[in-house]
Amino acid sequence: METSNTIVTNIFKPFQHHINAEQDLREEIRNIMKDIEKPLREIITQLQVIHHKENCEQIGVACQKSRELFEEVRNGFDRLDKIIPEGQYYRYNDHWRYPTQRLCFLAALIVYLEKGFLIEKDTAAQIIGMDGKEHLHLDLEDYLMGLLNLATELSRFAVNSVTYGNYNRPLEISKFVAELNAGFRLLNLKNDSLRKRFDALKYDVKKIEEVVYDLSIRGLLPGGDQASTEPTSDTQDS
């Protein structure tokens, strides 16, 4: 007859194998994410040109180089997809959630710089390499976080564009971010982190409005498109 100590040992002994296997998997995930984060940082560096150079050709070159770097990102997610167990996406996604949000933001920024419109979720998934995967997918929250980060980056872009004498760019950005803000207001956000980040969007909108208004009262907006009212002091709560 087995003793109580033997019974407990037999129960707990397999647990260590499970713990070791999970630790090994997480280490492998971390190594793959390091390979993904390297081109991510390089893409960020490439796109910083928008804050230092107003030359459209240089911005176009930066976008093209960034798209080439995304190939490394896609290769990384291909490898990651092969090691994630079936149905375990949310068990391990803390490893790639934040990088994915950053990648969505960068993909959105490239599309805006190239085309001037908002990236769709499916297109973002294709660019970063999360489309058509067996075990990975682009989470809606990560996509929306990327768009909110885009608004913040564009508010900075609007200010720096004035520095380089492009007075039309802030007006274009103002219209785009206002439309983005209107889109988010259609959502009834319950997620705490997403809701908190969305609350900061009103400050991005206000900052850009102030840039446009300042240009307006100085008579610097192109085509006589001058503002008749001051920027809103606050954005209405959704």
Side-chain angles (χ1 to χ4, degrees):
M1 180 179 296
E2 291 184 307
T3 66
S4 60
N5 184 56
T6 302
I7 293 174
V8 171
T9 299
N10 290 339
I11 290 174
F12 276 83
K13 190 173 182 179
F15 294 170
Q16 188 60 50
H17 174 74
H18 174 78
I19 292 171
N20 290 342
E22 178 160 333
Q23 289 175 340
D24 290 343
L25 177 56
R26 287 189 180 275
E27 183 62 27
E28 191 172 359
I29 292 173
R30 283 191 286 267
N31 289 333
I32 292 175
M33 290 310 303
K34 288 179 182 177
D35 293 338
I36 290 176
E37 288 168 0
K38 182 177 182 295
L40 187 162
R41 292 191 295 270
E42 292 177 7
I43 294 169
I44 291 174
T45 300
Q46 285 291 333
L47 294 178
Q48 286 303 296
V49 70
I50 68 175
H51 300 300
H52 306 293
K53 304 289 184 180
E54 187 53 37
N55 188 296
C56 292
E57 182 178 343
Q58 290 176 312
I59 292 177
V61 170
C63 288
Q64 180 58 40
K65 289 182 178 178
S66 297
R67 283 188 175 272
E68 293 170 1
L69 287 166
F70 263 111
E71 182 62 29
E72 297 180 40
V73 173
R74 289 190 288 271
N75 290 339
F77 280 123
D78 285 342
R79 291 163 52 204
L80 188 62
D81 184 58
K82 291 180 173 63
I83 68 170
I84 301 301
E86 180 72 31
Q88 297 294 305
Y89 175 92
Y90 289 105
R91 184 182 184 88
Y92 298 101
N93 81 320
D94 56 303
H95 290 286
W96 60 78
R97 182 190 300 116
Y98 179 70
T100 299
Q101 293 172 5
R102 296 291 291 168
L103 289 166
C104 282
F105 148 62
L106 294 170
L109 179 58
I110 290 171
V111 169
Y112 175 80
L113 293 172
E114 292 178 338
K115 307 292 184 180
F117 54 69
L118 183 65
I119 193 171
E120 294 184 358
K121 181 173 177 288
D122 289 346
T123 303
Q126 291 171 5
I127 292 176
I128 71 177
M130 275 200 164
D131 63 314
K133 294 290 186 290
E134 186 175 358
H135 302 124
L136 295 176
H137 66 272
L138 177 56
D139 193 79
L140 177 60
E141 178 183 333
D142 294 337
Y143 165 71
L144 293 176
M145 280 289 198
L147 299 187
L148 291 168
N149 289 334
L150 173 66
T152 298
E153 189 75 2
L154 290 180
S155 69
R156 180 186 171 202
F157 189 24
V159 173
N160 289 330
S161 294
V162 174
T163 303
Y164 291 101
N166 187 334
Y167 304 136
N168 190 53
R169 178 85 71 178
L171 187 60
E172 295 172 350
I173 291 175
S174 180
K175 293 176 179 178
F176 177 84
V177 174
E179 291 173 358
L180 180 62
N181 182 48
F184 268 96
R185 289 184 176 281
L186 297 175
L187 306 177
N188 183 17
L189 299 174
K190 299 297 185 181
N191 178 280
D192 288 342
S193 60
L194 190 58
R195 173 71 198 199
K196 183 177 180 180
R197 184 63 188 83
F198 167 61
D199 287 342
L201 178 58
K202 64 183 178 182
Y203 299 108
D204 295 324
V205 172
K206 184 173 183 291
K207 182 178 180 180
I208 299 168
E209 285 179 344
E210 288 173 347
V211 173
V212 173
Y213 180 72
D214 186 62
L215 291 174
S216 174
I217 61 176
R218 294 172 183 269
L220 295 175
L221 289 182
D225 192 359
Q226 311 303 326
S228 58
T229 59
E230 295 186 11
T232 56
S233 59
D234 200 356
T235 304
Q236 183 181 358
D237 293 334
S238 59

